[in-house]
Amino acid sequence: KNTCSGNQTCSNGSCGNNCTQNSYQQCSGNYLYWYDSCGNQQSSQYCSNGCSGNSCSNNNCTQNSYQRCSGNYLYWYDSCGNQQGSGQYCSNGCYNNSCGNNYNPYGNCTYHAYKLCQGSNIYWYDSCGTQQDFYQNCSGSNLTCQYGLCVSAIQPIYNPVIPPVNPYVSHYVIKCSADDLYWYDTLGAKTGLYRSCADANSCTQDTCGAAKCSNTLKCDGSTCVAGSPDYNTYCSQGNNNNNQPQNTNNVSISFFAKQDEGSMQWQKTVQLNANGKVYFMISVVDNSSAQADNVTVSANIPQEVSSLGNLQINGIPLTGDIVSGVNIGSIAVGTSKQLTFEGKAQSFSNQGTKQATATVGSQSDSLSINLTGQQAAAAVSGAQTTTGFWAFLKRWYLWILVGLVLLFLFVVVFRRLSSNA
């Protein structure tokens, strides 16, 4: 007697294997093996490009070529579009083929910043205004959804202030970089050239500091060569002061501003809201007994006023940068010149009072700019002023009218019954 064991069966007087050959394939390292239906390893094949998904990888496919979201999971894919690996679970959701905790369209979005209603449902929103996941449903007896809250439909509705969206501003502030003035965005990144500090005079040392260009004449050979055209023009005997201010010791300067373009009243203190405009005026007067020549005027403006333009002198457009300084020519004895220009603020977070200063020679004058922060937030807050008696009338006036009509009908019917009696 012989007993057949394991996967063997007895057939035609002998023990034989009942497993199906080459039933399936499975990877083991860089080898692809055939297995029979009983799980016994059989022949193998070496995969030169690796073994994945129980098959040899395609020779033309690049592994881990890109990532793509599938639900809340982030998967790697090869260049042929085959999904690889087990995927990464994104606890904050998967957006734009990256996990939610890395999804910042403006670089500073806060996850689950506030809640808002969509019909009777409440959803989370990030600080950049992007709708996120579901929070709560307000369906039910006498309930309604208002400003991200489930409130009673018969109670006065509370209007909370909605957090403002955090916008991205490309041209937010002007700063020096490599002796030139550049625009920087709200994230602190350089976004473009504002103004080159190099002038047409090769004898000047062109530098940038405190968000202003400086062009200092040097006649010591460190800039232009002696005998060159610029040296002969600006540095030769009798000409080395031609581009320097003359007789500015007795020149006075006054600096004013206003909020309303149409106003005739200039002030020493002005209020500036986010995204608002401010208008500046610099008055320069020659109080000396001699004419002042080559008078240069500059202004130091707070960085919250990020855009300056429409520069004019006595109503005539003037080219140049008031921050770096502009030459307004000569001022006769006892006369004056007025420089006007505009400033525009972008969004800013700091509130308080900043100083702006105008300078001519050794003289200067200042004014105050009160920064009042976000204008939009203040407008939402102001919507809550309708309260008390008027709010009561606004809500219940229909019932009051019905009550008055019923009272009138009661009086008429009562008088008729009394007269019939």
Side-chain angles (χ1 to χ4, degrees), residues 83 200 220 267 273 347-348 363:
Q83 189 182 88
D220 55 2
Q267 301 173 334
N273 299 321
S347 299
F348 50 81
Q363 309 297 319

Side-chain angles (χ1 to χ4, degrees), residues 172 174 183 194 255-261 266 270-281 299 301-312 322-323 339-346 348 356 367 369 371:
Y172 181 69
I174 301 169
W183 281 109
Y194 172 75
F255 196 16
F256 302 96
K258 63 182 180 180
Q259 248 184 301
D260 185 3
E261 183 180 12
W266 294 93
V270 67
Q271 179 175 298
L272 180 61
N273 299 321
N275 302 313
K277 274 191 174 183
V278 60
Y279 303 88
F280 297 100
M281 189 266 286
I301 309 297
Q303 65 178 7
E304 285 80 6
V305 185
S306 57
S307 180
L308 300 174
N310 196 20
L311 181 64
Q312 298 183 9
I322 188 63
V323 175
L339 275 170
T340 58
F341 57 98
E342 301 173 7
K344 187 178 186 302
Q346 302 290 350
F348 50 81
L367 58 85
I369 301 177
L371 306 176

Side-chain angles (χ1 to χ4, degrees), residues 207-282:
T207 58
C208 186
K212 295 198 309 183
C213 289
S214 176
N215 308 104
T216 306
L217 181 65
K218 296 285 187 179
C219 297
D220 55 2
S222 61
T223 53
C224 59
V225 179
S228 65
D230 283 344
Y231 184 90
N232 293 336
T233 301
Y234 300 104
C235 297
S236 62
Q237 187 66 30
N239 292 330
N240 56 357
N241 288 323
N242 281 354
N243 67 334
Q244 300 299 316
Q246 299 290 322
N247 304 321
T248 58
N249 291 335
N250 291 321
V251 172
S252 63
I253 186 170
S254 300
F255 196 16
F256 302 96
K258 63 182 180 180
Q259 248 184 301
D260 185 3
E261 183 180 12
S263 174
M264 301 299 294
Q265 184 67 41
W266 294 93
Q267 301 173 334
K268 298 296 289 182
T269 301
V270 67
Q271 179 175 298
L272 180 61
N273 299 321
N275 302 313
K277 274 191 174 183
V278 60
Y279 303 88
F280 297 100
M281 189 266 286
I282 301 174

Side-chain angles (χ1 to χ4, degrees), residues 121-187:
N121 295 324
I122 301 176
Y123 288 87
W124 278 107
Y125 285 75
D126 65 18
S127 60
C128 297
T130 303
Q131 182 178 310
Q132 297 180 305
D133 46 314
F134 172 79
Y135 174 75
Q136 185 181 356
N137 180 272
C138 296
S139 61
S141 178
N142 295 326
L143 284 180
T144 185
C145 188
Q146 292 288 334
Y147 297 98
L149 297 172
C150 290
V151 297
S152 173
I154 61 174
Q155 295 296 325
I157 297 173
Y158 170 64
N159 296 324
V161 176
I162 302 172
V165 172
N166 226 347
Y168 171 82
V169 181
S170 176
H171 289 176
Y172 181 69
V173 68
I174 301 169
K175 296 181 182 179
C176 291
S177 177
D179 289 331
D180 286 316
L181 286 168
Y182 282 86
W183 281 109
Y184 285 77
D185 62 16
T186 47
L187 306 179

